[in-house]
Amino acid sequence: MKARELREEVCRVNRELGRSGLVTLTWGNASAADRAAGVLAIKPSGVDYEALKPEDIIIVSLEDGRVVEGTLRPSSDTPTHLCIFQSFAGVSGIVHTHSTHATAWAQARRPLPCFGTTHADHFYGEVPLARPLRPEEIAENYEWNTGVTIVDSFRELRLDPLQMPAVLVPGHGPFAWGASAAKAYENAIALEESARMALMTLALRPDAGPIPRELLDKHFLRKHGPGAYYGQR
Amino acid sequence: MKARELREEVCRVNRELGRSGLVTLTWGNASAADRAAGVLAIKPSGVDYEALKPEDIIIVSLEDGRVVEGTLRPSSDTPTHLCIFQSFAGVSGIVHTHSTHATAWAQARRPLPCFGTTHADHFYGEVPLARPLRPEEIAENYEWNTGVTIVDSFRELRLDPLQMPAVLVPGHGPFAWGASAAKAYENAIALEESARMALMTLALRPDAGPIPRELLDKHFLRKHGPGAYYGQR
Amino acid sequence: MKARELREEVCRVNRELGRSGLVTLTWGNASAADRAAGVLAIKPSGVDYEALKPEDIIIVSLEDGRVVEGTLRPSSDTPTHLCIFQSFAGVSGIVHTHSTHATAWAQARRPLPCFGTTHADHFYGEVPLARPLRPEEIAENYEWNTGVTIVDSFRELRLDPLQMPAVLVPGHGPFAWGASAAKAYENAIALEESARMALMTLALRPDAGPIPRELLDKHFLRKHGPGAYYGQR
Amino acid sequence: MKARELREEVCRVNRELGRSGLVTLTWGNASAADRAAGVLAIKPSGVDYEALKPEDIIIVSLEDGRVVEGTLRPSSDTPTHLCIFQSFAGVSGIVHTHSTHATAWAQARRPLPCFGTTHADHFYGEVPLARPLRPEEIAENYEWNTGVTIVDSFRELRLDPLQMPAVLVPGHGPFAWGASAAKAYENAIALEESARMALMTLALRPDAGPIPRELLDKHFLRKHGPGAYYGQR
C-alpha cells in the first residue's frame, strides 16, 4: 500500500468514526499500519473529523515513532497505537474511542462478560480490563505506558489479539483493533453495542453468567478462521 | 406473487431495517415466504443494507432450503427462517435482529412480561423465551436447531404464532414474524420498544406485574381478529 | 377558527409529533377543539404521520362525538379526547403518545414527582396517575371510560387542568393538553423529558424528594399566569 | 471585539446548542462577555434556536444588567450569567442547559465524581453542587441569587473557575463556562457526557471511587496550562 492510500483509508475511517455516535467532540482516533513500509498513519490531534483531509493524516515510523510525513501534530495517543502495533503482530488497524458504554465498564473497572452471541461474533470470550498504570508510568511516557499495560495484560491472560480484538483501559476507555482500520472500526462498534447490552442484561439479572462455551465457539468460529461460513467469501 | 415482487418486498424491508435503529452493522435480516410458489426470499449474508438491490435477494426452496435463484450466499440464519416457515402455517414474513433491549432480555434469559397496552397491542401476553439449545444442537445444524427450539417452545406453551408473533432466543436475541415481511418488521419494532419500556418499568417498580387480563384482551382484540376496530379497514 | 384552519393546525402538530421521537409506529395522536364551532379535529386511525394531509383530518362534534366531516375513521382514542374536552373547560388541544419514559412511569403505576425546575416550568406539582379502569369500564366504551378515569382523578385530587396539563393512565401511557394543540404538544415533550430525568434521579438517589414549594411556585408562576416574565410577551 | 462580532458568535453558539441534543424546547442559552466593552451578549427569552439571527441577540451592561442594545427581552437567566461574569474574572462565555444526565445529577443533589479521563480532560476534579437557595433568595431576585449560590460555593470550596468550568445547581441543572462561548459550549458537552458515563459507572459499581490523583493531574494538565501538549498549538 502506498502512503497516499494509507492516508486515504485512515482519513476515511476517522471521518466515519466522527459520524458513528462512538465519539463526542474529538475523543477518538483511528490508525493503520503499513508493516512493509514500516509506518503507521494516524489522525492529527484535536482536529474535527468532518474537516479531515487525507493530507492532514500523519505518517509515523513504526520503529521509533518519529513523524515521517505531515505538518500537524499527531494524536496525543500515538505512542499507545505504536506500542500496540509493535507488540501485536497481525494487527494493522487500531481505533480508540471514549464510547459511552464501553467507557462506563472501563470506569467501573470490570471486564466485559460474554452474555450473548452479539459479543461472541466478535470477541472470543470476556473482553479484558488492562492492569492499572503505576504512578511512575503515568508521570513519564504516559501514552506509551498505556500500551505497555495492554500488552502486559494480554501476555498474562495468554490472549491472542486477533481473537480478542479489544481491551478496556481502567478509568479511561476502550481500544479496539483488527487486520485493518476498517476492521478495527467494526470491532469498536461491536464492543460499544455489546457493552450497552451487557449493562442492561445485568440490570435485568444481576447474577447473569456468560453463554455456554459451545455457543461461544460456534459463533466466534463461524465468523473467524478456516471454518468460517458467515458473509460472502 | 411473482419472484420479482417477492424480492422487491424483501429488499425494501431489509433496507428499512438497516435504517430503523434495530440493527447494528449487519446484525439482522428479513425474509418473506411465497407459499404458493414454495419459496422464501431472504437477505444475502453480510451485505450492507443500503447497498441491497432486489436482484441480490436470494430465493430458497421452502421444502428443502436449496437456493433456487441468486448468486450470493443467503443469510447464515436462513435455516432458522426455513424451520419457522415450515412449522408456523400463517406466517409469511420473519425479521431477526439483535435490537438492544430485546436482546438484553434474551441475554438475561427472561420472558418479556406484558406491562402495558403498547405491548398488548401487538403481543397477546408475555413474549416467551425459547428453550436453550442442547450442546449437540449447537454442534450440528445450529441455525436449523435454533428454529427447532422456537417451534418446540411454542408447542409446549400452546401459543398461536399469529397471536404471539415474536420470541426471545436465550443468549442470542429476538425473532419476530407476521403475515408479511412488513408486518414482521412492525412487530420487531413493537417488541424492541416494549422491551425498552419494560426494562424501565422494572427499574421503577421491581415487582411490577402484568396488566389485567381484560385490558390485554381489549387491546389485542381491538387490533386483531374479527372484532378489530383500529386503523382504516 | 375555520374548519380548514383547524384541520391544518391538527395536521401540522400530528406531523411534528411523528418526527418528535415521542411516537413509535402510529402510537400517538393530536387533536384540537374549536369550542365556538362545537367541534374537535383529530388524526385518522392508523395513518402514517408523514402521509397526513389537512383533508385527512376528521372533524367530530364536541357534543356527541359524531363525525361531521371526513371520510377516514377517526383515531380509536377519539372518545378519550372528547371526554377530556367536555370536562376540562380551558383545554383546546390534546396530545396522546406512548412516549418511552412517561409510559414506563405509567406502567410502573407511579405518579411523576417534581424533582426539578424542568418539570416545574410546565407542571405545577406531581403529575398524577389516573385511577385504574374497572373491568366493566374496559368491556364497554373503553376509550370513553379512559377519559372518565382522568376526569375523576382530577376532580378527586382537586387539580386545575391548566396548571396540571398532563396525566399518566396506568398500564397505558400519558395524555397531555393545553390551550392549543401546539401547547399540548409542548407539554407532551416536557412530560417525556421530565419522566426521563426523574428515572435517572431515582437511580442516583432512590429516596429523592420533590423540590421545595417555593421553588415550584417560582418556576411555574414565572411562566404561567399574571406574574409571568418568561419569553416574549 | 465589536458588538456585531459578539452577537454573531453568541448567535452561532446558541444555534449549535439548539442542534446539540443538550437542549429540549427552549431550555438553554449561551452568552459571551466583551470585558473591554463592558457588555455581555445573550439569547432572547423563549425564542427558537433555528430562528435566531445575530440582530436578535441582546447586549446587556456587565456593570448593572441594563439592556444596551436589542428590542427583545433577554433570557430570564440573564442575571445568573451577569453574576457569574462579574465574579469569575477569566470567564468570557457561559452556557446553561437542562441537559438530561447532568440535570439528573443536579436533581439527585450529588456532585459529579471524576470516574475517568473523559471527565479529567475537562474538569479538574469533582464537579461541585452549588448550595441550595434560601427561601428568601427564591422569592426576590431569584435568577441573580442563583449566581450568588454558585459564586459562594466556588469560594467555599476554593475552586478556580477556569480549572472547574461547570457547576450543578441543585434541583435545577448545569451551568458551564470558559474563556469563550465556544469553550463554554464544549464544556457543557463534556459535562453531559461525563454525567452520562458516571451514571452507568455507578450502575456497574455502586461504590466506584474517583481516578487516582496522578491520572487526574496528567489528563487535565496535558490539555490545560503551560505544559499542555494536546491539539494543534
Side-chain angles (χ1 to χ4, degrees):
Chain A
M1 201 189 293
K2 300 279 181 45
R4 176 74 202 171
E5 287 165 34
L6 190 67
R7 276 201 300 252
E8 277 172 1
E9 188 202 353
V10 169
C11 181
R12 185 181 57 75
V13 175
N14 273 292
R15 290 175 60 103
E16 278 189 45
L17 193 56
R19 288 188 295 264
S20 66
L22 299 184
V23 163
T24 300
L25 295 170
T26 58
W27 309 338
N29 41 67
S31 69
D34 178 346
R35 290 179 177 279
V39 297
L40 70 86
I42 194 163
K43 182 178 176 292
S45 184
V47 172
D48 277 346
Y49 302 91
E50 275 309 301
L52 271 187
K53 295 182 297 294
E55 54 268 33
D56 298 332
I57 301 300
I58 315 301
I59 306 287
V60 169
S61 162
L62 265 180
E63 202 180 321
D64 58 14
R66 272 181 311 104
V67 171
V68 174
E69 281 181 47
T71 52
L72 298 170
R73 292 164 78 162
S75 164
S76 57
D77 295 315
T78 301
T80 317
H81 290 244
L82 184 65
C83 180
I84 294 172
F85 281 132
Q86 286 187 0
S87 306
F88 290 171
V91 171
S92 291
I94 300 174
V95 167
H96 172 48
T97 74
H98 290 213
S99 69
T100 312
H101 297 83
T103 300
W105 284 86
Q107 292 191 164
R109 293 160 189 263
R110 293 181 66 164
L112 184 70
C114 180
F115 287 142
T117 62
T118 316
H119 179 122
D121 278 337
H122 291 84
F123 309 105
Y124 198 21
E126 179 178 274
V127 176
L129 191 73
R131 69 163 175 81
L133 283 93
R134 290 185 284 268
E136 65 273 19
E137 289 176 321
I138 293 170
E140 287 287 327
N141 298 322
Y142 167 64
E143 289 85 2
W144 172 265
N145 288 328
T146 298
V148 170
T149 64
I150 294 169
V151 172
D152 281 359
S153 300
F154 269 63
R155 198 164 293 146
E156 197 184 312
L157 296 165
R158 296 170 186 276
L159 290 170
D160 173 347
L162 288 178
Q163 294 201 325
M164 183 49 67
V167 72
L168 302 174
V169 177
H172 187 156
F175 283 81
W177 51 75
S180 65
K183 270 288 171 199
Y185 173 54
E186 190 181 309
N187 287 328
I189 293 171
L191 180 65
E192 174 60 11
E193 183 62 12
S194 297
R196 191 175 171 219
M197 287 173 172
L199 185 72
M200 293 175 187
T201 302
L202 284 184
L204 289 169
R205 182 177 295 278
D207 66 344
I211 56 171
R213 180 76 210 183
E214 54 270 15
L215 193 56
L216 171 60
D217 285 350
K218 182 71 193 179
H219 269 265
F220 190 79
L221 301 175
R222 78 175 184 167
K223 278 200 161 181
H224 304 90
Y229 58 91
Y230 182 91
Q232 306 299 328
R233 285 148 206 273
Chain B
M1 202 188 293
K2 302 277 182 44
R4 176 75 202 171
E5 286 164 35
L6 191 67
R7 275 202 301 252
E8 277 171 2
E9 188 202 352
V10 169
C11 180
R12 185 180 58 74
V13 175
N14 274 291
R15 290 175 60 104
E16 277 189 46
L17 192 57
R19 289 188 296 263
S20 66
L22 298 184
V23 164
T24 300
L25 295 169
T26 57
W27 308 337
N29 41 66
S31 69
D34 178 346
R35 291 181 176 277
V39 296
L40 70 86
I42 195 163
K43 182 178 176 290
S45 183
V47 172
D48 277 346
Y49 302 91
E50 275 309 301
L52 271 188
K53 295 183 297 294
E55 53 267 33
D56 299 331
I57 300 299
I58 315 300
I59 306 287
V60 170
S61 162
L62 266 178
E63 202 180 321
D64 58 15
R66 273 180 311 103
V67 171
V68 174
E69 281 181 47
T71 52
L72 298 171
R73 291 164 79 161
S75 164
S76 58
D77 296 315
T78 302
T80 317
H81 291 243
L82 184 65
C83 181
I84 295 172
F85 281 132
Q86 287 188 358
S87 307
F88 291 171
V91 170
S92 291
I94 300 175
V95 168
H96 172 48
T97 75
H98 290 213
S99 68
T100 312
H101 298 83
T103 301
W105 283 85
Q107 292 191 162
R109 292 159 190 264
R110 293 181 66 164
L112 184 70
C114 180
F115 287 142
T117 62
T118 316
H119 180 122
D121 278 337
H122 292 83
F123 310 104
Y124 198 22
E126 180 177 273
V127 176
L129 191 73
R131 69 163 174 82
L133 283 93
R134 290 185 285 268
E136 64 273 20
E137 289 176 322
I138 293 170
E140 288 286 328
N141 299 322
Y142 167 64
E143 289 84 3
W144 171 265
N145 288 328
T146 298
V148 170
T149 65
I150 294 170
V151 173
D152 281 0
S153 301
F154 269 62
R155 198 164 293 146
E156 197 185 313
L157 295 165
R158 296 170 186 278
L159 290 170
D160 173 346
L162 289 178
Q163 294 201 326
M164 182 50 67
V167 72
L168 302 174
V169 177
H172 187 155
F175 284 79
W177 51 74
S180 65
K183 270 289 171 199
Y185 172 55
E186 191 181 309
N187 286 329
I189 293 171
L191 179 66
E192 174 61 10
E193 184 62 12
S194 297
R196 191 176 171 217
M197 287 172 172
L199 186 72
M200 294 174 187
T201 301
L202 284 184
L204 289 168
R205 183 177 295 278
D207 66 344
I211 56 171
R213 181 75 210 185
E214 55 269 17
L215 193 56
L216 172 59
D217 286 350
K218 183 71 192 178
H219 270 265
F220 189 78
L221 301 176
R222 77 174 185 167
K223 277 199 162 181
H224 305 88
Y229 59 93
Y230 182 92
Q232 306 299 329
R233 283 150 208 272
Chain C
M1 201 187 294
K2 302 275 182 47
R4 176 76 203 171
E5 286 164 34
L6 191 67
R7 276 202 301 251
E8 277 171 1
E9 188 202 353
V10 169
C11 180
R12 186 180 57 74
V13 175
N14 274 291
R15 289 174 61 103
E16 279 189 45
L17 192 57
R19 287 187 298 263
S20 66
L22 298 184
V23 163
T24 300
L25 296 170
T26 58
W27 308 337
N29 41 67
S31 70
D34 178 345
R35 290 180 178 278
V39 296
L40 68 86
I42 195 163
K43 180 176 176 293
S45 184
V47 172
D48 277 347
Y49 301 91
E50 276 308 301
L52 271 188
K53 295 183 298 292
E55 53 268 34
D56 298 332
I57 300 300
I58 315 300
I59 305 287
V60 170
S61 162
L62 266 179
E63 203 180 319
D64 58 14
R66 272 180 311 107
V67 171
V68 173
E69 283 182 46
T71 53
L72 298 170
R73 291 163 80 161
S75 164
S76 58
D77 296 315
T78 302
T80 317
H81 291 244
L82 184 66
C83 181
I84 294 172
F85 281 131
Q86 286 188 359
S87 306
F88 291 171
V91 170
S92 291
I94 300 176
V95 167
H96 172 48
T97 74
H98 290 212
S99 68
T100 312
H101 298 84
T103 301
W105 284 85
Q107 292 191 162
R109 292 158 190 264
R110 295 180 63 163
L112 184 70
C114 179
F115 287 142
T117 62
T118 316
H119 180 122
D121 279 337
H122 292 82
F123 309 105
Y124 198 23
E126 180 177 274
V127 176
L129 191 72
R131 70 164 174 81
L133 283 92
R134 289 185 286 268
E136 65 274 20
E137 290 175 322
I138 293 170
E140 288 286 330
N141 298 321
Y142 167 63
E143 290 83 4
W144 171 265
N145 287 329
T146 298
V148 170
T149 65
I150 295 170
V151 172
D152 281 358
S153 301
F154 269 62
R155 199 165 293 148
E156 197 184 312
L157 295 164
R158 296 170 186 277
L159 290 170
D160 173 346
L162 288 178
Q163 294 202 323
M164 181 51 66
V167 72
L168 302 173
V169 176
H172 187 156
F175 284 80
W177 51 75
S180 65
K183 271 289 170 197
Y185 173 54
E186 192 181 308
N187 286 329
I189 293 171
L191 179 66
E192 173 62 10
E193 183 62 12
S194 297
R196 190 175 171 217
M197 287 173 172
L199 186 72
M200 293 174 187
T201 301
L202 283 184
L204 289 169
R205 182 177 296 278
D207 66 344
I211 57 170
R213 180 74 210 185
E214 55 269 16
L215 192 56
L216 171 60
D217 285 350
K218 183 72 194 178
H219 269 265
F220 189 79
L221 302 175
R222 77 173 185 168
K223 279 200 161 182
H224 304 88
Y229 58 91
Y230 182 91
Q232 307 298 329
R233 282 149 208 272
Chain D
M1 202 188 293
K2 301 276 180 49
R4 175 77 202 170
E5 287 164 34
L6 190 67
R7 276 201 300 251
E8 278 171 1
E9 188 202 353
V10 169
C11 180
R12 186 180 57 74
V13 175
N14 274 292
R15 290 174 60 103
E16 278 189 45
L17 192 56
R19 287 188 296 264
S20 67
L22 299 184
V23 164
T24 300
L25 296 170
T26 57
W27 308 337
N29 41 66
S31 69
D34 179 346
R35 291 181 177 278
V39 296
L40 69 86
I42 194 162
K43 182 177 176 292
S45 184
V47 172
D48 277 348
Y49 301 92
E50 276 308 302
L52 270 188
K53 294 182 298 292
E55 54 268 33
D56 298 333
I57 300 300
I58 315 300
I59 306 287
V60 169
S61 162
L62 266 179
E63 203 181 320
D64 57 14
R66 273 181 310 105
V67 171
V68 174
E69 282 182 48
T71 53
L72 298 171
R73 292 164 79 162
S75 164
S76 57
D77 296 315
T78 302
T80 318
H81 290 244
L82 184 66
C83 180
I84 294 172
F85 280 132
Q86 286 188 358
S87 306
F88 291 172
V91 171
S92 291
I94 300 174
V95 167
H96 172 49
T97 74
H98 289 212
S99 69
T100 313
H101 298 83
T103 300
W105 284 84
Q107 291 191 164
R109 293 160 189 262
R110 294 181 65 163
L112 183 70
C114 180
F115 287 142
T117 62
T118 315
H119 180 123
D121 279 337
H122 291 84
F123 309 104
Y124 199 21
E126 180 177 273
V127 176
L129 191 72
R131 69 163 174 82
L133 283 93
R134 289 185 285 268
E136 65 274 19
E137 289 176 321
I138 293 170
E140 287 287 328
N141 298 321
Y142 167 64
E143 289 85 3
W144 172 264
N145 288 329
T146 298
V148 170
T149 64
I150 295 170
V151 173
D152 281 359
S153 301
F154 270 63
R155 199 165 292 147
E156 196 184 312
L157 295 165
R158 297 170 186 277
L159 290 170
D160 174 347
L162 289 179
Q163 294 201 324
M164 182 50 67
V167 72
L168 302 174
V169 177
H172 187 156
F175 283 80
W177 51 76
S180 66
K183 271 289 171 198
Y185 173 55
E186 190 180 311
N187 287 328
I189 293 171
L191 179 66
E192 173 60 10
E193 183 63 12
S194 298
R196 190 175 172 218
M197 287 173 172
L199 186 72
M200 293 175 186
T201 301
L202 284 184
L204 290 168
R205 182 176 295 278
D207 66 344
I211 57 171
R213 180 76 210 182
E214 55 269 17
L215 192 56
L216 171 61
D217 285 350
K218 183 71 193 179
H219 269 265
F220 189 79
L221 301 175
R222 77 173 184 167
K223 279 201 161 180
H224 304 89
Y229 59 91
Y230 182 92
Q232 307 298 330
R233 283 148 207 273

